[in-house]
Structures are given as C-alpha cells and as structure tokens.
Amino acid sequence: MNLPYELQVGWRYTRAGRAGRRNRFISFISGVSMLGIGLGVAALIIVLSVMNGFQKEVADRMLSVIAHIEVFDAQGNALADWKATAAEARKHPQVIGVAPFIAAQALVARGDDMRGVVIRGISPPEEATVTDLAAKLRDTTLAQLRPGDFGIVLGVELARALGVHEGDKVTIVAPGGQVTPAGVVPRLKQFTVVGRFDAGHYEYDSGLALIHLDDAARLFRVEGPTGVQLRLKDVQRARAVGDELARTLPSGLAVRDWTRTNRNWFDAVQIEKRLMFIILTLIVAVAAFNLVSTLVMTVTDKQADIAILRTLGASPRSIMGIFIVQGAAAGIIGTLAGVGLGLLVAFNIDVIVPAIERVLGVSFLPGSVYLISRMPSEPRSSDIVPIVVISLVLAFVATIYPSWRASRVQPAEALRYE
C-alpha cells in the first residue's frame, strides 16, 4: 500500500525497540502507557456496566412488586369514587392496567417478635393486571386472600424473621387506637398466614405484607380504597404520563410514579455513576499523558533521524505528523485493547464473580445489604462510545507538545555531534 511516509515512519517508531538498550527502554515506557490506557478504559466499561446492571436489576425487582404509577388522595383519605378515578386514568393511551389499593404502615407481631411493615390491601384479580408478582401468584398464593377470612401474605424475609409458616397466626397492630374507659387501646387484629412471596428485593421481602382490600378497609377503618395503581405500556415514560395525569385528574388527587417512589435511591445511583466516570476518566488521563514522557524521550533519541529527514526535504509539519501518528497509534491500541477487555469481563461477570467468591470464600453482595445477591452487568453503547472518544482525545492531546518539539529540531544542531 502506498501510505504517506509519515504514517509508515510513525508506525515504525511505535513498534521499534530492539536496536539498542535505550530504544528498548522507550518501547517499555510506551507499552506501559498503552497498558495504562487499556486498563483504565476496561475499568470504566466494567464499572459502568455493573452499575447499569445493578440499577436495572433493582428496578425490575421493584417493578415486580409496585405499580408504575399510583393515584391517591392527597390527604390519605379514601377516594370518593375510585372506579370513576380508574375510568378517567384508563383514558390515557399508555395505561393498560388499573387496580385499587389501601396502603398503611403497621406492626406485625408474633410472640415477642415485632416488625414494622407496610400493609397493602389489594384485590387479587385487579392486582394481577398491575404487578408481575401478583400475576404470578394470582391463582396460587393470592387466591387464598378472601374477604372476611383475614388472611395475610408475607415476604419471605419477613416470615423468616418472625419464624412463621402457612397456617400460623400473626397479630397486626394498626396505627391510631381505640378510645376506651381505660384509655387509648391499640387496634389489634389477628391474621392467618396463607402464603409467602419472594420478590428478590430485600426491602420488599422484609417489609411488605399483602391482605385483601376489604380486610384492609376494616382494619384501618376507611370506607374504601385510598388510591389506584396503574400499569403502563412503557415503564420509562412513567414520569411524563404521571405529569399528564396530574393535569387531567380531579383536584385533590396526588400522582406519584415509580421513579419518585424510590427517588432517593435512583438519584444516589446516578450521582455515584457520574462520580465513578469522572474518577476513572482521570485514571485514563494519567495513562494517556504518560505518552508525553514516551514521546519526549523518543524525540530526544531520534534527533539524528529527524535531522536527516529535514535535510531530505521533510517539512516541520511532516515531522510533527510522524510523532502524532506514534502517540495516536499507542492511544488507539490501548483504547481498543481496553474496550475488548472491558466487554469480555462485562459480558462474563456473572461467571467471573462467583468463581472469585468460591476461591476466596466470601460474598461480595449479601442480599441484606445490597438488595440483590448476584453481580449484574449491562454494557451500554451510550457509555462505551463516550469512553472511547475521551480516551482517544486525551491520547491525541498528549501528543501535541512532544510532536511540536520534534518539529522545532534544527538539523545542524542535531547532527553536530553525530
């Protein structure tokens, strides 16, 4: 191929290093720079992929338990006509499922053990159209929730903490109390455990209990559902749909989508992701600017070559181009190697991490702390493309000053002591 000589000479300098001890040292420094860029890029891809996977995994498990949007009375009272509210919400083209609910905090007691939980009163047939968990358990566990039987379904972690199984009795302590001549007495009601659910999300498995809607109305002394849950065609549009419903539904109703329900968690994940991107980009920057020392040493070592090229008619711009090619080639090789390594690890992290855990005998993600117990990963092009661009730009910028210095070498001065 008839390539420009700048490319040929620059590439030759990139892979040179066998002629002498000094050249070998320069080649070693260049290799370290490429290795640093590659490891930095790989670390960025792996970390961001894991954070994406973690966010998606937790969101999916959240959405298997909670609805995409909740519409409820702003004062916490029962809706005047929940069916009319549901019918109005169904007019939106994104809404594909509606279910009434009653939600309140309470205490669940079993002997001396007591846990604070969220009690959600549901109608099993309608609930199955809104959440994946209810759809999965509609014909089995949730079928045991019948009005007047006062049955309750507990999360697996909650049931384990209380030491209860199907058929056992638990006592629900409702907020507020009943005024008697002896004073205010807490409202207590005994429920029978009819089943357990496993959402795979520790927060809900340990802090959520499901009862029938009618039983919840009697327990919390409300006249009907306090809100309706909505399921959407596109869960990612929940915030926009929620804003649209807030403008069309009657006043006095509050609308909350799933991103706002867990807003603190999602905001924290986004902040952590940005900070990790910045920190790991600095690592790539340090590795990229190691190319400066490599090229400066190369320019010093190749002054005689530069002088000969200048006497043969090479322009300062061509000399500058040679060393830009050398630095850019190192940056491209390091970046591509880092992308390959990062994607290899990111796509196989579900195999790599368990192997490391078995060797070390540790668990990196205990479910009680991190909500999920396995390391997820989801590489996204929206993360990888900026990483590649930033790495290449940093490598290119690092070549500018040494290349400019090379173009300023005077042939007579360089050949004086040759």
Side-chain angles (χ1 to χ4, degrees):
M1 295 178 63
N2 189 20
L3 296 175
Y5 76 90
E6 292 91 350
L7 288 176
Q8 298 182 48
V9 176
W11 174 245
R12 183 174 180 276
Y13 284 172
T14 301
R15 55 189 178 87
R18 299 179 182 176
R21 183 178 301 174
R22 183 176 178 84
N23 284 340
R24 284 197 297 268
F25 180 70
I26 294 172
S27 181
F28 171 76
I29 297 298
S30 178
V32 169
S33 300
M34 287 188 284
L35 179 64
I37 293 172
L39 291 178
V41 170
L44 253 175
I45 292 174
I46 294 168
V47 169
L48 295 184
S49 297
V50 169
M51 295 189 75
N52 291 335
F54 185 81
Q55 184 176 3
K56 182 179 184 298
E57 187 77 15
V58 174
D60 289 344
R61 297 190 182 193
M62 284 180 180
L63 293 173
S64 71
V65 183
I66 63 174
H68 299 167
I69 292 179
E70 293 180 353
V71 180
F72 54 93
D73 185 85
Q75 304 300 321
N77 301 320
L79 297 178
D81 188 349
W82 75 267
K83 291 184 178 180
T85 302
E88 183 68 24
R90 275 190 177 277
K91 294 179 181 179
H92 196 286
Q94 277 287 323
V95 178
I96 58 175
V98 178
F101 75 95
I102 297 173
Q105 293 183 338
L107 296 175
V108 177
R110 164 75 171 177
D112 294 333
D113 292 326
M114 185 173 292
R115 296 287 188 276
V117 298
V118 173
I119 303 292
R120 185 189 297 169
I122 63 171
S123 174
E126 285 88 356
E127 187 75 10
T129 67
V130 172
T131 63
D132 294 334
L133 180 68
K136 183 172 65 175
L137 301 177
R138 175 176 54 185
D139 299 326
T140 54
T141 304
L142 296 188
Q144 304 299 317
L145 294 180
R146 291 182 287 268
D149 287 355
F150 292 98
I152 188 170
V153 178
L154 304 177
V156 291
E157 296 295 339
L158 177 59
R160 185 179 297 116
L162 295 173
V164 298
H165 302 85
E166 285 81 355
D168 292 341
K169 303 288 186 180
V170 295
T171 301
I172 304 297
V173 183
Q178 183 177 357
V179 179
T180 67
V184 178
V185 178
R187 294 202 310 272
L188 308 177
K189 183 61 182 178
Q190 197 171 64
F191 281 73
T192 302
V193 178
V194 297
R196 298 179 295 177
F197 67 84
D198 184 2
H201 191 297
Y202 184 81
E203 180 180 348
Y204 294 107
D205 288 339
S206 63
L208 179 64
L210 306 176
I211 63 177
H212 195 277
L213 187 68
D214 294 346
D215 296 341
R218 294 175 62 182
L219 175 65
F220 298 114
R221 295 186 177 180
V222 293
E223 298 178 357
T226 57
V228 294
Q229 302 177 103
L230 310 178
R231 185 181 182 88
L232 307 180
K233 293 179 182 178
D234 184 1
V235 65
Q236 301 303 325
R237 291 194 57 193
R239 178 163 294 193
V241 173
D243 293 339
E244 293 171 8
L245 290 174
R247 292 191 294 267
T248 59
L249 291 175
S251 60
L253 297 179
V255 180
R256 180 174 57 198
D257 64 87
W258 66 277
T259 62
R260 291 187 175 97
T261 301
N262 301 277
R263 181 174 181 176
N264 291 338
W265 186 85
F266 284 104
D267 288 347
V269 170
Q270 290 300 321
I271 292 173
E272 290 173 2
K273 186 176 177 181
R274 294 190 189 101
L275 290 177
M276 290 303 298
F277 186 90
I278 294 172
I279 292 171
L280 294 176
T281 300
L282 292 177
I283 296 176
V284 178
V286 170
F289 280 96
N290 280 339
L291 292 173
V292 175
S293 59
T294 302
L295 292 177
V296 168
M297 295 176 66
T298 303
V299 170
T300 303
D301 186 61
K302 301 295 184 182
Q303 284 198 12
D305 294 3
I306 296 170
I308 293 172
L309 288 171
R310 288 296 307 276
T311 57
L312 292 175
S315 66
R317 183 175 180 179
S318 295
I319 300 298
M320 189 173 180
I322 289 172
F323 290 95
I324 287 178
V325 167
Q326 181 183 356
I332 292 172
I333 294 172
T335 300
L336 294 180
V339 171
L341 176 62
L343 292 177
L344 179 65
V345 175
F347 281 117
N348 295 279
I349 202 161
D350 56 338
V351 177
I352 296 172
V353 171
I356 296 175
E357 289 178 337
R358 286 193 297 270
V359 171
L360 300 180
V362 298
S363 176
F364 295 141
L365 292 174
S368 60
V369 178
Y370 294 102
L371 305 179
I372 59 178
S373 57
R374 69 178 186 87
M375 186 79 75
S377 177
E378 186 187 6
R380 296 177 183 173
S381 59
S382 59
D383 292 328
I384 296 173
V385 171
I387 291 171
V388 171
V389 171
I390 290 174
S391 177
L392 294 177
V393 168
L394 289 174
F396 177 78
V397 170
T399 66
I400 294 177
Y401 174 73
S403 301
W404 177 79
R405 284 285 303 273
S407 70
R408 305 291 293 178
V409 171
Q410 298 298 324
E413 294 292 330
L415 295 175
R416 174 176 296 177
Y417 303 105
E418 291 296 329

